[in-house]
Amino acid sequence: MLDTGNTAWMLMSASLVLLMTPGLAFFYGGMVRGKSVLNMLMMSFGAMGVIGILYVLWGYSMSFGSDIAGLFGNPFEMWGLKGLFEMTSEGFTFTDTNGLPDLVNVGFQATFAIITVALISGAIADRVRFSAWMVFTGVWVTLVYFPLAHMVWGGGLLSGDGPFASIATPIDFAGGTVVHINAGMAALVLALVIGKRKGFGKEAMRPHNLPFVMLGAALLWFGWFGFNAGSAYGANGLAGLAWVNTTVATCAAMCGWLLTERLRDGHATSLGAASGIVAGLVAITPAAGSVSPVGSILLGAVAGVLSALAVGLKYKFGYDDSLDVVGVHLVSGLWGTLAIGLLAVDGGLFYGGGLSQLAVQAIIAIAALAFTAVLTFIIAIAIKKTIGWRVSEAVEVAGIDLNEHGESAYESLGATRVTPEVRS
């Protein structure tokens, strides 16, 4: 029987998560230089366009269809959402699971796929052909995201039905492995394969619009309540716990980041506040349904400090992760996933649960890292050897917005159009 309350909550949650991608577009768009802002916005919106279609065609089926070798669901079982609804003489009828129409879950899960791919774009800002990004979006979500979602949430190898559940039941409440470790590792691989921006490490590449960044962080925080509280799949106490945990972990992470900046650099910045917010949201995502509010404060504070320190690693190791996807999403995603083994009220080490939960969390994190790294590398190299990733150096210098999209965000910026013979 249809549960109208839960259905309404899940429709609202799906809408909140969908809002996160435009929020991310503003967050990333404000962080790049003025000549690249439209391209950055378009990478997020482009991901929405491609994945919204693919998820209906085969994405949901690959994520939640009948298991194939523990790696992915049968893509043809629910192709085009076949079997989830039908037309009768009395109108549409819909299949449901525990009172929730399966089509509502399709919408909710599609928004997770969209935001995961959009997150990756921040690592390769300022230097990538939009056409290459669009091809990558479709291929990567099919070969990496859909299978990993199945492995973790669809009954595959890394789920409670997989082989590692004999140690302890793996926990990923809302996407520590599927979303943030996945996107963070993919971002690192692309940054290494595609290479550095011209002038990286030698010239200042400051955010052009910090109010955009703050607006984007606010929209992400707002949408994240659908992300985490919605993952309770009901208007219930677990959703309330996830909501509170998401709030306090994010507050603590922002404070942790700002304190780190103050001690290290002598000032606390708006960019640091916005970045700390995202680090806290990332870290609490896998743990929102298994830790206490006090545990969430500790989890968030550590995430803020770790990510504030980690964003500088790109200069030490020489990879150009333009907007710190690795430092924020990979680092805080890993911490949040592992912290469950320490802070989970049921089974965490700090609650007398021993090492079993920590061990299984480490296993699923390492497995996700390896799976994503290998598949992303293959896809990235294939695109590099065929259509190519990079815009020309002349386009990068003159402005990717005007030359890739034929428009500029700010007419006063003075961007120049590169002639066709120089573009290639």
Side-chain angles (χ1 to χ4, degrees):
M1 183 176 177
L2 179 67
D3 186 325
T4 55
N6 283 348
T7 299
W9 167 239
M10 293 309 299
L11 285 168
M12 178 57 71
S13 295
S15 301
L16 287 169
V17 182
L18 187 63
L19 179 66
M20 289 171 65
T21 299
L24 180 74
F26 275 100
F27 182 75
Y28 280 169
M31 290 175 69
V32 296
R33 291 169 289 182
K35 62 184 179 181
S36 304
V37 56
L38 295 180
N39 179 254
M40 199 71 255
L41 293 166
M42 284 289 288
M43 291 174 87
S44 286
F45 279 88
M48 294 177 77
V50 172
I51 298 165
I53 296 169
L54 298 188
Y55 203 83
V56 166
L57 293 178
W58 61 78
Y60 185 73
S61 192
M62 285 188 70
S63 300
F64 296 99
S66 297
D67 181 72
I68 297 177
L71 298 175
F72 57 91
N74 181 350
F76 304 106
E77 181 182 3
M78 293 178 282
W79 180 280
L81 307 184
K82 177 180 64 178
L84 301 190
F85 65 97
E86 64 178 348
M87 186 68 178
T88 68
S89 59
E90 298 179 355
F92 282 109
T93 60
F94 304 94
T95 63
D96 68 85
T97 302
N98 298 324
L100 180 72
D102 291 321
L103 277 177
V104 175
N105 190 42
V106 171
F108 184 60
Q109 289 295 332
T111 62
F112 279 64
I114 289 167
I115 188 71
T116 301
V117 178
L119 289 171
I120 301 168
S121 66
I124 54 176
D126 292 340
R127 59 198 187 275
V128 168
R129 298 174 187 267
F130 185 66
S131 57
W133 168 251
M134 294 292 275
V135 171
F136 172 81
T137 292
V139 175
W140 189 87
V141 78
T142 298
L143 299 183
V144 183
Y145 181 86
F146 296 155
L148 191 58
H150 177 79
M151 281 189 265
V152 175
W153 293 330
L157 288 174
L158 306 181
S159 72
D161 298 320
F164 305 116
S166 60
I167 303 171
T169 301
I171 297 174
D172 187 351
F173 188 71
T177 52
V178 180
V179 178
H180 299 294
I181 291 175
N182 198 9
M185 176 50 74
L188 177 59
V189 171
L190 290 191
L192 293 172
V193 170
I194 295 170
K196 306 171 187 176
R197 289 166 291 177
K198 179 177 174 56
F200 173 74
K202 299 177 182 177
E203 61 184 68
M205 298 182 181
R206 297 187 181 91
H208 90 284
N209 193 324
L210 286 169
F212 267 20
V213 178
M214 297 294 280
L215 172 64
L219 290 172
L220 283 168
W221 196 344
F222 180 64
W224 224 288
F225 291 119
F227 206 81
N228 286 356
S231 292
Y233 275 89
N236 52 35
L238 184 59
L241 176 67
W243 197 103
V244 172
N245 286 346
T246 299
T247 301
V248 298
T250 304
C251 294
M254 178 172 58
C255 292
W257 190 301
L258 292 176
L259 179 61
T260 303
E261 274 192 335
R262 183 69 176 82
L263 294 175
R264 182 187 60 198
D265 308 323
H267 45 255
T269 68
S270 61
L271 179 61
S275 299
I277 286 169
V278 176
L281 293 167
V282 169
I284 194 59
T285 291
S290 58
V291 301
S292 71
V294 173
S296 296
I297 294 172
L298 175 60
L299 187 152
V302 172
V305 173
L306 288 178
S307 283
L309 297 174
V311 295
L313 294 177
K314 63 184 180 183
Y315 300 108
K316 181 176 181 180
F317 293 108
Y319 61 89
D320 185 6
D321 170 21
S322 308
L323 308 183
D324 300 316
V325 184
V326 177
V328 174
H329 292 275
L330 183 57
V331 170
S332 284
L334 281 168
W335 161 242
T337 298
L338 295 175
I340 294 169
L342 303 174
L343 297 170
V345 175
D346 182 13
L349 180 63
F350 293 171
Y351 288 82
L355 293 171
S356 296
Q357 192 67 55
L358 180 60
V360 80
Q361 296 303 122
I363 289 170
I364 65 170
I366 292 169
L369 285 170
F371 177 80
T372 300
V374 172
L375 269 294
T376 305
F377 179 76
I378 293 171
I379 296 167
I381 291 295
I383 291 176
K384 185 176 183 178
K385 298 295 185 182
T386 52
I387 62 175
W389 276 104
R390 299 289 297 252
V391 298
S392 68
E393 185 175 300
V395 168
E396 188 177 336
V397 172
I400 195 170
D401 283 355
L402 189 59
N403 290 284
E404 275 287 294
H405 303 288
E407 53 190 355
S408 60
Y410 311 104
E411 291 298 326
S412 61
L413 190 65
T416 56
R417 191 183 296 275
V418 176
T419 59
E421 58 269 22
V422 179
R423 285 172 62 88
S424 59

